[in-house]
Amino acid sequence: MPIAETITESRNPVQLSPSAPYLAFKQGGLVLLCVAWIGLGLFGHDPWKPDDATSFGVTLEMLKHGDWIVPHLAGIALPDRAPLFYALAAAAATAFGGVMPIHDAARIAIAFCLALTLWLLSLAGRELYGRSFGWWPVLIFIGCIGLWDRAHQLSPDIGVLAPFALALYALALAPRRAVIGGALLGVAVGVAFLCKGSAAAALIGMTAVLLPFFPSWRTRRYPATLAIALLVAAPMVIAWPLALYLRDPGWLAQWLETQDVARYFGTTWDSPPMEPFYYLKNLPWFAWPALPLALWTLRVRSRGYGGGLTGAGVGLPLTMIVVVLALISAAAEPRATLALPLLLPMSLLAAAEIDTLKRGYSGALDWFGILTFGLLGILLWGLWLESLLHGLPESMARIFNDTQPGYRPPWQLLPVLLSAVLTLLWLALVRPARRSNRRAMLNWAAGMTLVWGMYMTIWLPYLESRRGYRSVAESLANHLPADTCLASHNLGEPQRALLEYFLNVVTVRDDSQASNRCDALLVQTARDESDTPPDSAWDKVWEGRRRGDDTERFLLFRRPTAAPTK
């Protein structure tokens, strides 16, 4: 079908929705879908490495010592880390820690940030494309594969999504309401700075500065928007560095050193390696299905439809995509979580021409999603039942890199009921019905939620046994000497944070002077590394690892003169 005919058929997008006569039920169902996607996976498990455990360690230090200015991890000051997200997690832990484990309570901060992100993304979609487009950027966003487990980790990379979504809404609003748009943009810049540092604020600021290349922002009022944003953001940007300086000028100097532009772009001698094409190589799966839909929008608009490529609905998301992708690609030490803000403008751009997508394309995506998530659901149910009755098969254990086949999950009624309800709801949703482009996006988002929900309900005990460190810490506790400190060698930040949480033990790095007074040394090694002690002054007394995992080992050494274990 030619593009022109598809656009003609889509002039009234409400008619394309099979649920239009039942709008209230439809809205309620979409809210329930978002609540399920946000809530599943936040509770019921210990902190997992890397980001979840590290961020919780910083949050725990805030709760213990009440220092809301300088983040700490296992006794070490981290003035290079902005404190806002950790403070939000600490506040959530304080408010809800009395009714649930403190690590689960802290993750309520993630729920708040994700809910705010989805709401603001919906507002941006309505502002750019009309009232009927509020939900579709949200559904495309939660369907992106790159969010999978990353969206549910306690991390500032999740907290910063909300100010990016706020910036998109503010900039979409600015041509119509310059003052309010400027004020919201200033809040977005300030919160991004306090949540993730100067790089996040700079990405939003550069997007705003480049927008006058498009007619919608090339107005006399837009400079006033930028001026108001600067006035609102300035106090928030100044407040934290000033507080660092008043606490200790050395901490401000350390923070300024980490903000060095040369260090960001990896041009200093000690910078980590650069991979300029890392994000381009990974975007096809990371941003699926937003990326192909965004490319379809560019194709349609390049032919002059919907205001062309210079319209506001293309100019704003495309500018943010280019700015974020260019700057993170040029940065040192690439990480997938740094690309999460890309999914917000890409979801907006993907939603713009969702109604003009050729039926063959949307039908292929719909059936691909139904078959994929259906088969995954059958596999997850079947493998769980097999593991429950006979233990995890050895063939599947090899696929999972599990060194201990035969795992049997515990029978837990509530997770089984939740997975059953999710499965039945998904089956009811994808039942044979009049197909549409929007229905395909809804089915995809529901399928992602189904698989994620099963992953974090009936399969959660298995994941906890593989990724949790509680059993390692409890075994280590039986061999720790009394009345001495614990030195550490090659121990990662997540592991140091979890030892403090589970055992209330703050490890001392072996490269510090204080480690010389310790009678115990904990060493983290890889699978094939030697377990020889650092020198003859140490005796090996314990070795531990997580169940089924041989990628890392923990070795405890003690001086021969240390007191016997009690």
Side-chain angles (χ1 to χ4, degrees), residues 372-417:
T372 299
F373 297 122
L375 291 174
L376 284 174
I378 293 172
L379 176 63
L380 289 173
W381 271 117
L383 189 56
W384 178 80
L385 288 171
E386 174 68 18
S387 301
L388 183 68
L389 298 175
H390 306 292
L392 182 67
E394 184 174 355
S395 58
M396 296 306 301
R398 285 198 298 269
I399 295 176
F400 297 158
N401 293 322
D402 189 338
T403 61
Q404 298 180 25
Y407 173 82
R408 288 176 179 255
W411 170 262
Q412 297 175 320
L413 180 60
L414 181 59
V416 173
L417 288 177

Side-chain angles (χ1 to χ4, degrees), residues 214-542:
F214 296 91
S216 297
W217 293 272
R218 198 183 306 135
T219 64
R220 294 181 179 179
R221 302 177 65 190
Y222 190 64
T225 297
L226 296 181
I228 294 170
L230 184 62
L231 290 175
V232 172
M236 304 171 69
V237 172
I238 294 172
W240 180 52
L242 179 61
L244 281 178
Y245 176 78
L246 295 176
R247 180 71 63 83
D248 186 340
W251 281 340
L252 177 63
Q254 184 176 337
W255 175 78
L256 290 173
E257 183 181 354
T258 62
Q259 307 306 302
D260 183 67
V261 174
R263 181 178 294 276
Y264 177 84
F265 289 108
T267 58
T268 60
W269 66 271
D270 59 343
S271 296
M274 295 180 59
E275 295 183 48
F277 299 107
Y278 173 85
Y279 298 102
L280 286 176
K281 290 187 299 184
N282 288 282
L283 268 183
W285 69 264
F286 187 87
W288 180 274
L291 179 59
L293 294 174
L295 293 176
W296 172 261
T297 295
L298 294 179
R299 180 189 176 191
V300 171
R301 296 297 176 93
S302 68
R303 301 190 178 188
Y305 299 110
L309 293 176
T310 60
V314 171
L316 173 56
L318 185 60
T319 300
M320 181 171 281
I321 290 171
V322 171
V323 168
V324 174
L325 183 60
L327 290 184
I328 65 175
S329 296
E333 197 175 8
R335 291 189 299 114
T337 53
L338 297 180
L340 290 177
L342 272 176
L343 300 180
L344 293 167
M346 198 168 290
S347 297
L348 278 174
L349 192 61
E353 292 295 336
I354 190 173
D355 293 325
T356 66
L357 188 66
K358 291 184 178 181
R359 289 183 180 176
Y361 296 164
S362 65
L365 177 63
D366 195 12
W367 284 110
F368 172 70
I370 292 174
L371 289 174
T372 299
F373 297 122
L375 291 174
L376 284 174
I378 293 172
L379 176 63
L380 289 173
W381 271 117
L383 189 56
W384 178 80
L385 288 171
E386 174 68 18
S387 301
L388 183 68
L389 298 175
H390 306 292
L392 182 67
E394 184 174 355
S395 58
M396 296 306 301
R398 285 198 298 269
I399 295 176
F400 297 158
N401 293 322
D402 189 338
T403 61
Q404 298 180 25
Y407 173 82
R408 288 176 179 255
W411 170 262
Q412 297 175 320
L413 180 60
L414 181 59
V416 173
L417 288 177
L418 285 174
S419 287
V421 169
L422 286 172
T423 304
L424 292 175
L425 289 176
W426 180 79
L427 289 172
L429 180 66
V430 300
R431 71 191 188 284
R434 186 164 67 90
R435 300 293 173 185
S436 70
N437 296 352
R438 297 190 175 200
R439 183 61 176 265
M441 296 303 103
L442 175 59
N443 289 346
W444 182 274
M448 284 291 292
T449 304
L450 166 69
V451 174
W452 172 248
M454 295 180 64
Y455 183 76
M456 296 306 297
T457 50
I458 57 175
W459 280 97
L460 183 57
Y462 176 73
L463 296 171
E464 179 74 354
S465 73
R466 294 289 309 278
R467 302 183 65 177
Y469 284 86
R470 185 181 294 271
S471 60
V472 176
E474 291 173 348
S475 177
L476 172 63
N478 296 325
H479 296 82
L480 284 176
D483 302 325
T484 185
C485 60
L486 176 63
S488 66
H489 174 72
N490 201 35
L491 194 64
E493 285 188 345
Q495 290 81 1
R496 296 179 68 233
L498 294 178
L499 282 178
E500 182 182 8
Y501 180 46
F502 293 134
L503 302 181
N504 198 27
V505 173
V506 178
T507 57
V508 180
R509 294 192 181 277
D510 63 343
D511 56 0
S512 67
Q513 195 70 25
S515 66
N516 296 330
R517 299 191 299 269
C518 297
D519 290 329
L521 173 67
L522 182 64
V523 179
Q524 180 178 336
T525 66
R527 174 178 51 193
D528 299 326
E529 291 182 350
S530 171
D531 58 356
T532 304
D535 55 61
S536 58
W538 299 99
D539 291 334
K540 178 182 171 182
V541 296
W542 173 83

